[in-house]
Amino acid sequence: MQLADDVVAKGNSHGAGRPGDPCVMVIFGASGDLTKRKLIPALYNLAKDNLLSKEFALVGIARNELTSEQFRDEIGKEIGEFATTTVDPDLWHWFSQRIYYHSGDFADAAAYQGLGELLAQIDKEHGTRGNYFYYLATAPSFFGPIITQLGKADLVKEEHGWRRVIIEKPFGHDYESAVALNKEIRQVLNEKQIYRIDHYLGKETVQNILVFRFANGIFEPIWNRRYIDHIQITVAETVGVEQRGGYYEKAGTLRDMVPNHIFQLISLTAMEPPVSFDADVVRDEQAKILKALSPMTDEEVLTRTVRGQYGEGMEGDNRVQGYRAEPYVAPESRTETFVAMKLFIDNWRWADVPFYLRTGKRLPQRATKIVIQFKRAPFVLFRKTAVDQLEPNRLILHLQPDEGISLSFSAKVPGPVVQIGDVDMNFNYTDYFNATPQTGYERLLYDCMLGDATLFQRSDMVETAWHVVAPILDVWEALPPRRFPNYAAGTWGPHEADELLAKDHRHWSNEQ
Ligand code: BG6
């Protein structure tokens, strides 16, 4: 990971960086939303920041019959809508000249032969030096078959240039399927060629967790069970399942958000300082945290987890339907759209410190944040204010949408009588750095072009994460929810989520 050539002046958002290697990016599933909404705008931003090699080309593959010209035209029409900055016509022209399309069925060997020929031709035309990376933006059922076919067509052997594969989530559906998928793809690829993407790691503020913790001397000494009472992680969305009912019915919130995005947040918050920023050194430390998240017993699943499903309610001023009325959702669906739980990390730093997490759809705010709540002051110095009436200090990492960090503490209210008030110290990204908005995929694509896998998931991390949630999935499947829907759209989930903390004399931090 490039944290070393990175020290930048205050308020300056760009460190120097060399362009990615010459290469071809091949997108499987090029007609999907991800390509036009995220991948193309991210590549454009890289080109704008001079981080894309001049010897770069892109191939889109999907089943539709299109020519490269038609594909370019389509993307050209959409970029205006999805780019995060104004599109410069000259730069776009340069970029579009290196876009190709190959139509083919992912299961058909002939499609891969044709792809091989196209890649060889692009190498000659654009000097891409045989370096290819394949981005699997497809339904998960294609991950294994595509990689197997790439292997058969000799398109992943690293004889002339490097070959890498980026795999979208979900990686497996449970522990067994993740292990099986790893096994299947490892027949063709070695681990160093595999980039399992988690788009949370592309977010600036998520990457900043490491910088915040390890580039500052003052936080680490108190970052442990001696000073921290508990940690809360909230990933709240106001949207419902939108058009993704088909996928969501099979996944549910637990699978969709917890073993991937939320576990990434936990591991970055809780890991030990790595001895270097080498990919495997950082990931070893993350993996240790995942291994220390002890899987729950059946009894613990019942007392430490909460699931919910939204019924009809409000989104702002608008009345919205319940989950069961959404498109492609069964009228009696038992799928959860909300999860809360209490986890422990069994190691010396975190023993007995609860990590509460919650995530769900149709909650009252869109907010992703990590709240570090410190222990209270130990001594009743102010005789009229009992210590337990003082608000404890909270450090909040606001990851989205208003990125920043705040610290709450007590201060004396001015006046002749000693009165104590709670105040906040706030840092907002936008006050210091005027970075252009990004899609969140720039850094991940760029790192893949440089061969830096730090921000991608290793096989052991994925498998361990599934292992931790497996008992929850099992118990939930064995004991279907008794009362769904159990929270109204626009509220903070079922009341059991509040009780989960209230039992421990704590409460969720809901303020923005
Ligand atoms: C995706 C999930 O991985 O992450 C979605 O499949 C979820 O259900 C999304 O809405 C949240 O991502 P973000 O970047 O909007 O927080």
Side-chain angles (χ1 to χ4, degrees):
M1 187 176 185
Q2 293 202 316
L3 275 182
D5 39 285
D6 31 6
V7 185
V8 289
K10 247 188 199 152
N12 177 1
S13 63
H14 286 287
R18 72 167 173 93
D21 289 353
C23 61
V24 187
M25 171 175 176
V26 181
I27 306 178
F28 283 86
S31 53
D33 258 15
L34 187 73
T35 306
K36 63 183 180 199
R37 283 177 191 275
K38 302 287 183 187
L39 301 180
I40 302 285
L43 290 168
Y44 177 78
N45 286 344
L46 287 176
K48 198 166 176 183
D49 285 342
N50 287 322
L51 294 175
L52 200 61
S53 168
K54 297 280 170 257
E55 288 87 35
F56 172 81
L58 174 75
V59 177
I61 303 194
R63 224 174 305 157
N64 313 356
E65 291 287 343
L66 287 181
T67 63
S68 291
E69 287 69 32
Q70 286 168 324
F71 184 57
R72 275 176 208 159
D73 286 352
E74 246 178 44
I75 290 182
K77 279 187 211 132
E78 289 158 351
I79 184 71
E81 187 182 344
F82 297 112
T84 58
T85 54
T86 332
V87 178
D88 172 61
D90 292 338
L91 182 59
W92 180 254
H93 178 74
W94 174 85
F95 185 75
S96 67
Q97 291 312 298
R98 47 208 64 239
I99 299 180
Y100 296 81
Y101 185 81
H102 181 63
S103 104
D105 184 333
F106 302 152
D108 177 10
Y112 295 81
Q113 211 184 332
L115 175 64
E117 286 157 16
L118 177 60
L119 287 170
Q121 175 205 323
I122 291 176
D123 267 343
K124 276 200 208 121
E125 253 170 63
H126 294 282
T128 43
R129 306 192 201 168
N131 297 331
Y132 311 144
F133 71 106
Y134 307 96
Y135 195 115
L136 310 192
T138 64
S141 55
F142 289 117
F143 296 163
I146 290 176
I147 291 171
T148 305
Q149 290 285 2
L150 285 171
K152 282 193 189 147
D154 244 1
L155 289 172
V156 284
K157 246 199 229 138
E158 298 195 297
E159 278 165 355
H160 309 286
W162 50 252
R163 307 286 158 93
R164 299 173 187 146
V165 181
I166 300 185
I167 305 177
E168 260 297 334
K169 81 173 250 281
F171 195 93
H173 187 68
D174 52 19
Y175 175 71
E176 285 75 23
S177 56
V179 171
L181 181 56
N182 273 328
K183 202 165 158 211
E184 184 178 2
I185 65 180
R186 291 287 294 274
Q187 314 251 321
V188 178
L189 302 168
N190 67 50
E191 184 62 30
K192 289 220 171 324
Q193 295 176 281
I194 307 171
Y195 289 67
R196 299 174 192 80
I197 202 164
D198 182 315
H199 81 278
Y200 264 54
L201 291 176
K203 293 181 192 284
E204 285 290 341
T205 39
V206 173
Q207 291 163 25
N208 190 42
I209 299 172
L210 287 187
V211 177
F212 179 77
R213 289 188 57 200
F214 302 132
N216 295 299
I218 62 170
F219 301 110
E220 220 30 44
I222 54 169
W223 208 261
N224 57 51
R225 65 192 302 271
R226 216 168 143 195
Y227 299 99
I228 292 178
D229 177 73
H230 73 274
I231 292 183
Q232 297 180 13
I233 298 184
T234 295
V235 181
E237 297 184 89
T238 52
V239 291
V241 284
E242 302 176 295
Q243 296 304 311
R244 297 168 70 223
Y247 155 75
Y248 216 78
E249 279 286 272
K250 285 192 232 124
T253 301
L254 180 62
R255 287 190 171 91
D256 189 43
M257 299 296 288
V258 177
N260 32 64
H261 307 326
I262 294 190
F263 279 9
Q264 292 296 336
L265 300 181
I266 293 184
S267 66
L268 294 174
T269 307
M271 69 192 251
E272 295 300 315
V275 292
S276 78
F277 277 105
D278 279 354
D280 275 330
V281 176
V282 175
R283 295 190 298 177
D284 282 346
E285 294 303 340
Q286 286 184 276
K288 279 190 212 161
I289 291 295
L290 298 177
K291 285 181 189 135
L293 281 171
S294 51
M296 293 182 204
T297 61
D298 292 357
E299 185 61 32
E300 286 167 344
V301 172
L302 296 176
T303 53
R304 290 199 204 151
T305 69
V306 175
R307 57 187 148 161
Q309 186 193 77
Y310 64 85
E312 54 175 64
M314 303 300 285
E315 184 193 0
D317 292 336
N318 300 324
R319 185 127 212 108
V320 290
Q321 60 193 1
Y323 175 71
R324 290 178 174 183
E326 303 278 19
Y328 316 111
V329 171
E332 299 293 310
S333 171
R334 292 168 166 181
T335 303
E336 81 284 355
T337 61
F338 175 94
V339 172
M341 68 180 75
K342 173 162 83 166
L343 291 172
F344 288 97
I345 297 177
D346 293 339
N347 67 14
W348 275 53
R349 188 191 281 258
W350 297 113
D352 300 327
V353 177
F355 282 66
Y356 299 100
L357 54 97
R358 64 176 168 173
T359 179
K361 305 252 181 224
R362 286 274 185 242
L363 301 184
Q365 288 166 18
R366 169 164 148 78
T368 301
K369 60 183 179 179
I370 302 173
V371 178
I372 320 287
Q373 181 158 321
F374 291 92
K375 292 190 173 164
R376 289 173 201 279
F379 170 64
V380 195
L381 181 62
F382 307 98
R383 265 172 275 152
K384 293 207 178 107
T385 313
V387 168
D388 58 7
Q389 281 169 22
L390 293 176
E391 272 297 310
N393 299 121
R394 281 183 166 164
L395 177 76
I396 306 187
L397 309 179
H398 302 269
L399 305 183
Q400 61 185 17
D402 300 318
E403 292 97 345
I405 296 172
S406 61
L407 178 67
S408 68
F409 54 93
S410 299
K412 179 178 173 302
V413 179
V417 180
V418 177
Q419 263 193 315
I420 297 174
D422 298 318
V423 296
D424 281 332
M425 215 152 67
N426 286 320
F427 150 71
N428 291 319
Y429 267 78
T430 45
D431 295 342
Y432 284 79
F433 305 106
N434 45 23
T436 44
Q438 305 262 303
T439 65
Y441 280 75
E442 290 78 357
R443 172 69 188 270
L444 298 172
L445 296 178
Y446 176 63
D447 280 0
C448 181
M449 292 176 203
L450 293 176
D452 182 344
T454 314
L455 295 177
F456 293 84
Q457 302 235 67
R458 229 169 34 189
S459 59
D460 57 331
M461 296 164 78
V462 176
E463 291 176 11
T464 310
W466 279 119
H467 184 60
V468 175
V469 298
I472 309 176
L473 291 168
D474 291 347
V475 172
W476 284 6
E477 200 178 309
L479 299 176
R482 262 179 287 156
R483 194 174 56 84
F484 263 7
N486 59 353
Y487 71 99
T491 65
W492 279 112
H495 64 87
E496 288 90 343
D498 292 326
E499 281 160 19
L500 183 71
L501 271 72
K503 282 191 283 195
D504 299 344
H505 310 289
R506 298 185 174 109
H507 60 89
W508 292 105
S509 147
N510 285 343
E511 64 276 10
Q512 270 183 313

